């Protein structure tokens, strides 16, 4: 095991991971990493395509003896979720990630690591860079904006590909084969703000909810973790029944597909209500410590008396509708699969709440492996928006990835695993958006599988990647490519 980062990056996978970690690549900010991939391919005289969506496709001919094996598409995404701990000085638009090793895990420093999906990029570059690794003809495609809109994959021109086999490297569990994923859609409910003149003689207070673990809104939705936006709705609703107060802003969450960890609200009230406010906050700290003692033991609500120069607050109607939205917008698990034990079938996550001068925007990430249930969540959300006089829209709609019982590439992975480890590999489905569904929708007859090493707490600043698992998954991946030569491909 490598004890230092310098030793670790001597391995080609971690060498390339360290290179891309130095390039800012939040969703929507992929130009630099996309250009880097193009230069990488050009320097090695490999065929490369960069499309208008900044997706990059790199092609490499088969090694000797593998010319007759079907072409394989290797796929991942170049963007990452940008989350950092409160108070951390890090500019995701310009600053490199600061990698560090703790035990046998790789972390960034107080930010997301980007192993989701930097691992796929590192694997692909290490494979393309190698001369001694046997493999069939490769078509490596690294997409953009997977973490936000799936826009890169949705923009892909399928005519660029000859392959009918897709190996996606965006799974997060070693020793498992991912064979099915959920479809998803982004739902936005927007409440116009009617402003009123703030009363005189009031004090301003900032209520902050924090200490929550958060996590990936698909992978972690079954962990029972607190959603700071929903908690804020409960607190403000309870406060409304106790004291008169006024709201001037509510903001929470930073990524629609991450369970929000922090939400704040700025409120005004008269000094004689201060004591009651403190008592209510103390009560909610006790309630949440009890409710979330297992999932989020560090949850806390803080209260700060702040200076302000605002002269307006939400009207009573706006305030009522904002709190109702926080309370009633669907959130969390909506249904569980009856076919696969423990698999979430449909869910939704109120990921972002933003206040501007004109409106309050509520953004949710909804998922389902059954399209009709995804449609139900959309319809339910629209009815609520209509009832509250909110604007409603959806985007980033992408298809589910259905299970293929006749998958040939799954059989190859299963056979290689049994030969390598002496036992059967676990077959899983996941409640998360995987680009396989989009590619299968575009390329007729595509056969897909997804793999990846163990990673933890993705989409949070505590994201970390198992070093031994990354190396193990790499050798397993290479063994599959090598042994594809001995598989009977429809013969």
């Amino acid at each position: 095991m490598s004890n230092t980062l310098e030793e670790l990056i001597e391995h080609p996978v971690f060498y390339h991971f360290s290179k891309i970690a130095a390039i800012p690549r939040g969703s929507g900010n992929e130009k630099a990493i996309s250009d880097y991939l193009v230069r990488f391919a050009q320097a090695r005289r490999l065929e490369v395509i960069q499309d208008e969506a900044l997706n990059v496709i790199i092609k490499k001919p088969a090694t000797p003896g593998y010319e007759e094996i079907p072409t394989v598409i290797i796929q991942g995404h170049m963007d990452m979720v940008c989350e950092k701990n409160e108070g951390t000085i890090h500019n995701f638009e310009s600053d490199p990630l600061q990698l560090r090793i703790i035990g046998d895990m790789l972390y960034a420093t107080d930010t997301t690591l980007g192993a989701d999906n930097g691992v796929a990029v590192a694997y692909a570059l290490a494979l393309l860079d190698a001369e001694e690794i046997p493999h069939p003809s490769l078509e490596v495609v690294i997409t953009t904006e997977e973490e936000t809109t799936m826009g890169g994959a949705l923009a892909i021109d399928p005519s660029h590909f000859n392959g009918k086999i897709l190996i996606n490297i965006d799974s997060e569990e070693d020793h498992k084969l991912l064979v099915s994923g959920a479809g998803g859609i982004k739902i936005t409910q927007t409440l116009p703000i009617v402003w009123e003149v703030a009363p005189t003689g009031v004090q301003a207070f900032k209520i902050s909810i924090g200490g929550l673990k958060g996590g990936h809104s698909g992978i972690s939705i079954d962990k029972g973790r607190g959603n700071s936006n929903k908690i804020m709705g409960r607190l403000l609703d309870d406060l409304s029944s106790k004291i008169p107060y006024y709201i001037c802003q509510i903001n929470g969450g930073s990524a629609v597909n991450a369970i929000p960890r922090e939400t704040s609200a700025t409120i005004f009230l008269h000094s004689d209500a201060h004591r009651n406010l403190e008592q209510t906050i103390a009560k909610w700290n006790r309630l949440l410590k009890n409710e979330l003692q297992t999932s989020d033991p560090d949850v806390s609500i803080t209260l700060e008396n702040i200076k302000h120069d605002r002269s307006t607050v939400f009207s009573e109607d706006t305030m009522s509708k904002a709190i109702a939205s926080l309370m009633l917008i669907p959130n969390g698990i909506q249904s569980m699969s009856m076919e696969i034990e423990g698999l979430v079938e449909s869910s939704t996550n109120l990921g972002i709440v933003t206040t501007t001068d004109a409106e309050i925007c509520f953004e949710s990430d909804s998922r389902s492996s059954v399209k009709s249930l995804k449609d139900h969540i959309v319809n339910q959300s629209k009815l609520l928006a209509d009832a509250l006089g909110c604007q409603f829209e959806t985007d980033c709609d992408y298809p589910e990835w259905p299970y293929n019982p006749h998958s040939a590439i799954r059989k190859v992975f299963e056979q290689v695993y049994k030969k390598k480890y002496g036992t059967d590999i676990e077959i899983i489905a996941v409640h998360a958006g995987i680009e396989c569904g989009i590619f299968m929708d575009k390329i007729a007859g595509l056969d897909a599988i997804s793999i990846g090493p163990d990673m933890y707490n993705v989409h949070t600043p505590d994201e970390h990647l198992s070093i031994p698992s990354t190396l193990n998954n790499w050798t397993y991946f290479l063994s599959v490519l090598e042994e594809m030569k001995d598989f009977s491909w429809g013969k």
Side-chain angles (χ1 to χ4, degrees):
M1 179 58 60
S2 301
N3 295 317
T4 67
L5 191 61
E6 289 73 18
E7 292 175 333
L8 183 65
I9 63 175
E10 291 179 3
H11 189 282
V13 168
F14 287 103
Y15 168 79
H16 288 292
F17 189 91
S18 70
K19 290 296 184 182
I20 63 172
I23 305 172
R25 51 190 177 90
S27 303
N29 184 38
E30 298 105 329
K31 183 65 165 62
I33 183 65
S34 180
D35 289 347
Y36 175 84
L37 297 176
V38 170
R39 292 194 300 271
F40 173 93
Q42 291 173 338
R44 288 151 184 82
R45 298 184 179 180
L46 299 173
E47 180 183 351
V48 61
I49 300 166
Q50 183 184 47
D51 65 18
E52 291 185 0
L54 298 180
N55 299 306
V56 175
I57 302 167
I58 305 172
K59 301 186 179 185
K60 186 177 183 181
T63 54
Y66 284 76
E67 295 89 349
E68 302 302 316
I69 308 302
T71 297
V72 173
I73 302 170
I74 308 294
Q75 192 266 321
H77 61 89
M78 67 184 77
D79 61 317
M80 63 174 280
V81 169
C82 296
E83 286 266 312
K84 61 183 178 180
N85 286 324
E86 190 172 7
T88 297
I89 300 174
H90 183 92
N91 186 342
F92 282 108
E93 296 290 318
S94 58
D95 297 343
L97 302 177
Q98 301 299 316
L99 303 181
R100 59 194 175 113
I101 296 175
I102 301 177
D104 61 357
M105 298 287 178
L106 183 65
Y107 290 76
T109 303
D110 294 322
T111 70
T112 37
L113 173 65
D116 175 15
N117 193 219
V119 164
V121 182
Y123 275 17
L125 297 184
L127 178 59
L128 292 169
D129 211 17
E131 297 296 334
E132 74 284 359
I133 297 175
H135 59 75
S137 177
L138 300 177
E139 296 175 331
V140 171
V141 53
I142 309 297
T143 57
T144 57
E145 297 193 357
E146 189 272 352
E147 298 290 5
T148 52
T149 66
M150 292 279 190
L154 290 168
I156 282 286
D157 181 350
S159 68
H160 291 315
F161 301 96
N162 295 312
K164 296 289 186 179
I165 297 170
L166 175 72
I167 301 176
N168 168 280
I169 311 176
D170 197 11
S171 186
E172 296 166 7
E173 294 180 281
D174 200 5
H175 300 285
K176 296 180 182 181
L177 282 183
L178 179 59
V179 298
S180 177
I185 191 167
K186 178 184 173 184
I187 300 173
T188 303
Q189 174 178 318
T190 305
L191 174 66
I193 298 175
V194 175
W195 296 100
E196 292 184 347
V197 176
T200 59
V202 292
Q203 294 178 302
F205 292 88
K206 181 179 180 181
I207 301 172
S208 300
I209 296 170
L212 298 166
K213 290 183 180 178
H216 188 291
S217 66
I219 301 297
S220 300
I221 203 70
D222 62 345
K223 303 288 192 300
R225 294 175 182 171
N227 178 309
S228 58
N229 291 330
K230 297 295 288 185
I231 292 172
M232 182 62 78
R234 294 174 62 192
L235 171 60
L236 294 176
D237 179 63
D238 185 41
L239 196 60
S240 297
S241 66
K242 292 181 170 55
I243 58 174
Y245 73 96
Y246 311 88
I247 300 175
C248 66
Q249 63 176 3
I250 307 169
N251 294 292
S254 58
V256 72
N257 59 348
I259 301 171
R261 300 177 298 116
E262 298 166 350
T263 302
S264 66
T266 301
I267 68 170
F268 292 170
L269 47 75
H270 291 283
S271 58
D272 58 0
H274 183 197
R275 179 61 179 162
N276 207 334
L277 173 61
E278 289 183 328
Q279 291 174 343
T280 303
I281 297 297
K283 181 192 79 170
W284 274 93
N285 268 310
R286 293 192 299 271
L287 288 174
L288 294 173
K289 287 290 185 181
N290 178 58
E291 288 183 12
L292 303 174
Q293 57 184 304
T294 300
S295 63
D296 295 277
D298 297 325
V299 61
S300 68
I301 305 177
T302 59
L303 181 65
E304 180 185 2
N305 190 183
I306 61 173
K307 294 181 179 180
H308 72 91
D309 56 4
R310 295 192 64 94
S311 59
T312 56
V313 294
F314 294 174
S315 70
E316 183 178 349
D317 183 62
T318 297
M319 176 172 160
S320 175
K321 289 178 177 178
I323 294 173
S325 296
L326 289 171
M327 290 286 286
L328 298 177
I329 287 175
N331 186 76
I333 296 172
Q334 303 296 296
S335 65
M336 298 294 293
S337 171
M338 300 300 290
E339 286 78 29
I340 302 176
E341 185 177 356
L343 177 67
V344 178
E345 184 175 59
S346 63
S347 76
T348 185
N349 173 64
L350 177 55
I352 300 177
V353 177
T354 309
T355 303
T356 67
D357 289 340
E359 60 194 22
I360 312 171
C361 186
F362 305 87
E363 299 176 58
S364 296
D365 185 29
S366 300
R367 307 170 186 269
S368 181
S369 54
V370 179
K371 184 180 184 302
S372 60
L373 292 176
K374 184 175 72 173
D375 293 342
H376 170 66
I377 295 171
V378 172
N379 292 337
Q380 185 180 12
S381 301
K382 187 177 188 307
L383 284 171
L384 174 63
D386 290 345
L388 294 175
C390 298
Q391 300 168 5
F392 180 86
E393 63 180 356
T394 61
D395 59 5
C396 311
D397 191 358
Y398 57 90
E400 64 276 3
W401 169 24
Y403 172 68
N404 176 11
H406 308 295
S407 170
I409 190 60
R410 187 187 72 247
K411 292 178 182 177
V412 178
F413 272 90
E414 288 176 318
Q415 290 178 11
V416 173
Y417 189 90
K418 186 68 175 281
K419 179 179 178 181
K420 187 176 179 65
Y421 299 102
T423 187
D424 292 331
I425 193 168
E426 184 178 353
I427 305 298
I428 64 169
V430 68
H431 185 64
I434 302 293
E435 291 166 297
C436 297
I438 297 173
F439 279 89
M440 293 179 74
D441 203 43
K442 288 175 172 283
I443 303 174
L446 187 67
D447 187 10
I449 200 79
S450 181
I451 61 168
D454 291 331
M455 55 186 80
Y456 307 91
N457 296 331
V458 297
H459 296 190
T460 80
D462 190 44
E463 179 183 3
H464 51 288
L465 172 69
S466 168
I467 295 169
S469 174
T470 302
L471 299 176
N472 173 74
N473 197 255
W474 167 249
T475 59
Y476 173 45
F477 171 51
L478 296 189
S479 295
V480 168
L481 294 178
E482 181 177 2
E483 299 196 26
M484 285 181 71
K485 183 179 180 181
D486 301 323
F487 188 77
S488 178
W489 296 97
K491 296 178 181 178

